[in-house]
Amino acid sequence: MELTAIQPASPHGEIKARIAAAVAAARSEILELSHRIHANPEPAFEEHQAAAWVAEAIGRHGYVVEHPAGRLETAVRGRLSGGRGPGARVAILAEYDALPGIGHACGHNTMAASGVGAAIGLAAVAGDLAGEIVFLGTPAEERGSGKQYMLDDGLFDGTDAALLFHPGDLTSIEARLLASEDVDVTFHGRASHAASEPWEGRNALDALVMLFSSIGLWRQQLRPESRVHGVVLEGGTAANIIPDLAAGRFMVRSPDQLYFEGMRSHFRTLCEAAAMATGCSVEVEFSGRSETMRHNRVLGGRYLANLEAYGMHEDPPSDNLGSSDMGNVSQVLPTIHPTLAICDPGVPGHSIEFREAAASPRAEEVTLIAATVAAQVAAELLMDPALVAAAWRDFRGAAS
Ligand SMILES: [Zn+2]
Ligand SMILES: [Zn+2]
């Protein structure tokens, strides 16, 4: 698709056309970044190369860059003031973490590239905007909720809107995000020869197996759309040694924040019960909390209007669920989390097929459209204080 051949949605068509032209002119820079991050996957909190690359890219386009930004080494902030005096502050967010083992199977390489692309598009028209454009490189979405650290570090202070896009198999403005938390569980037992003195041992692996079994039974009684799932991290070293240590990592999720609190406490009870039954002790450590998503309808409406100009439309609602630390941001300021299709419906996220899709020609086109549209929505906000006020009204639950 030729971005520059399309008439952007009104209002401010002239400025939006310049944004699209700037994104189109930077096409190879944006897509090369996407492929470079895709080919060099780095998991949560370890995105050293990706963070350096995005920081370099926005620095080249006039942003004042902080890297690291706040306490996270792989967080980035870039700031650029508009030429029309004080006004709103709009943040363009970019994720770039990959999944351990499977790489960019969530396609965050496209998010990093489109975030940089949006920043490039906005830099080209900054002279005609009021307020401030903020680019935030946000690490550790897959685990650890990096955005919560950035919120706590004040990096979102004074921000009126947070915009990003996530790739998916369907296009929808309001992704359904569950409250979620990671749980690290470690059982400690006592090692012993498994044949000569098994009665001297305390089997930590038995405790972990028991925990998986009780989670499996618990699922029968869980409310729809609540989730508990996990993997074994350590389960012993040799068949003739009773394992004195076993560890697992789990996630607990629910669409209902209050119900989620109850799940969290029951999960801990299951861990303690398994420890008690096997004579082991247990450590249970919750971290990386993601909140449910509070979609801003004003921002979502503007995003869709600008998106449709580029021929992309919402798919019918689906059963797709996920979690994101974007939910945490959405509890504090007007936020959207649109998903744009980069592959055919039915390709699951976190799969090898999706990883391949994230480097496909279709993903390239969507990355450029996402960059353009996010920048166009940001430009509307930076030119129209009434739109910013409407987004805040919606946030406070008083949309007219
Ligand atoms: Zn993701
Ligand atoms: Zn993911």
Side-chain angles (χ1 to χ4, degrees):
M1 171 187 293
E2 269 304 321
L3 283 173
T4 47
I6 285 163
Q7 176 66 39
S10 61
H12 312 301
E14 186 269 331
I15 280 186
K16 288 179 182 172
R18 279 160 54 204
I19 288 172
V23 171
R27 178 189 175 94
S28 54
E29 180 183 0
I30 296 166
L31 297 181
E32 190 273 332
L33 177 67
S34 182
H35 287 288
R36 192 160 16 129
I37 293 175
H38 190 269
N40 294 279
E42 301 166 295
F45 300 110
E46 296 171 30
E47 315 92 330
H48 298 284
Q49 299 182 100
W53 293 332
V54 303
E56 250 169 55
I58 58 165
R60 271 198 303 273
H61 289 271
Y63 285 76
V64 177
V65 179
E66 293 158 80
H67 174 221
R71 85 189 77 171
L72 296 181
E73 267 184 55
T74 53
V76 175
R77 175 162 67 171
R79 287 190 280 185
L80 186 62
S81 294
R84 293 277 166 98
R89 178 177 291 163
V90 178
I92 302 286
L93 273 57
E95 297 175 3
Y96 31 68
D97 60 328
L99 290 152
I102 195 170
H104 273 293
C106 210
H108 294 183
N109 59 299
T110 64
M111 302 172 76
S114 80
V116 166
I120 292 172
L122 284 163
V125 298
D128 291 320
L129 305 177
E132 189 179 49
I133 308 153
V134 180
F135 171 92
L136 291 174
T138 61
E141 190 279 336
E142 291 294 354
R143 178 182 72 80
S145 291
K147 293 183 193 70
Q148 185 60 52
Y149 291 96
M150 296 179 75
L151 283 161
D152 295 342
D153 287 344
L155 294 164
F156 284 89
D157 288 1
T159 303
D160 294 296
L163 311 173
L164 56 54
F165 110 97
H166 196 292
D169 67 325
L170 297 169
T171 295
S172 72
I173 299 301
E174 299 198 357
R176 297 174 63 216
L177 299 181
L178 308 174
S180 163
E181 204 158 343
D182 304 323
V183 203
D184 279 298
V185 181
T186 310
F187 290 103
H188 298 278
R190 190 198 299 148
S192 177
H193 196 297
S196 66
E197 295 103 0
W199 47 83
E200 294 296 335
R202 297 278 184 275
N203 194 324
L205 180 59
D206 281 0
L208 188 58
V209 169
M210 194 172 276
L211 176 59
F212 271 97
S213 302
S214 49
I215 289 168
L217 295 171
W218 182 31
R219 284 199 189 101
Q220 302 173 102
Q221 271 71 50
L222 285 178
R223 286 191 178 276
E225 302 188 337
S226 296
R227 302 277 188 271
V228 192
H229 41 91
V231 292
V232 175
L233 297 180
E234 286 191 60
T237 52
N240 57 0
I241 308 170
I242 289 177
D244 63 346
L245 188 137
R249 178 168 289 157
F250 297 84
M251 295 182 81
V252 180
R253 313 196 202 214
S254 172
D256 179 311
Q257 200 77 44
L258 197 63
Y259 187 72
F260 173 74
E261 303 302 334
M263 286 179 70
R264 203 175 173 277
S265 119
H266 191 67
F267 184 90
R268 187 183 287 278
T269 302
L270 296 182
C271 295
E272 287 163 0
M276 195 182 291
T278 53
C280 294
S281 63
V282 65
E283 292 163 55
V284 183
E285 197 185 331
F286 286 86
S287 66
R289 193 180 178 100
S290 292
E291 313 271 341
T292 49
M293 180 76 196
R294 197 167 163 184
H295 293 282
N296 193 280
R297 285 168 294 172
V298 171
L299 298 182
R302 293 318 304 150
Y303 192 92
L304 184 60
N306 283 283
L307 181 69
E308 287 187 329
Y310 293 93
M312 291 189 75
H313 302 279
E314 272 203 287
D315 285 306
S318 78
D319 294 334
N320 287 4
L321 293 168
S323 300
S324 171
D325 54 3
M326 200 60 173
N328 304 33
V329 178
S330 79
Q331 300 295 331
V332 179
L333 59 110
T335 299
I336 49 171
H337 190 284
T339 306
L340 304 186
I342 60 161
C343 56
D344 292 337
V347 174
H350 293 193
S351 67
I352 287 166
E353 299 98 294
F354 197 81
R355 180 186 70 198
E356 302 314 313
S360 65
R362 182 167 170 188
E364 291 184 346
E365 294 312 312
V366 171
T367 298
L368 297 172
I369 291 171
T372 307
V373 171
Q376 291 175 339
V377 174
E380 284 192 22
L381 290 161
L382 294 168
M383 283 189 287
D384 186 355
L387 185 60
V388 178
W392 276 110
R393 261 201 313 281
D394 183 76
F395 177 82
R396 294 191 188 102
S400 51

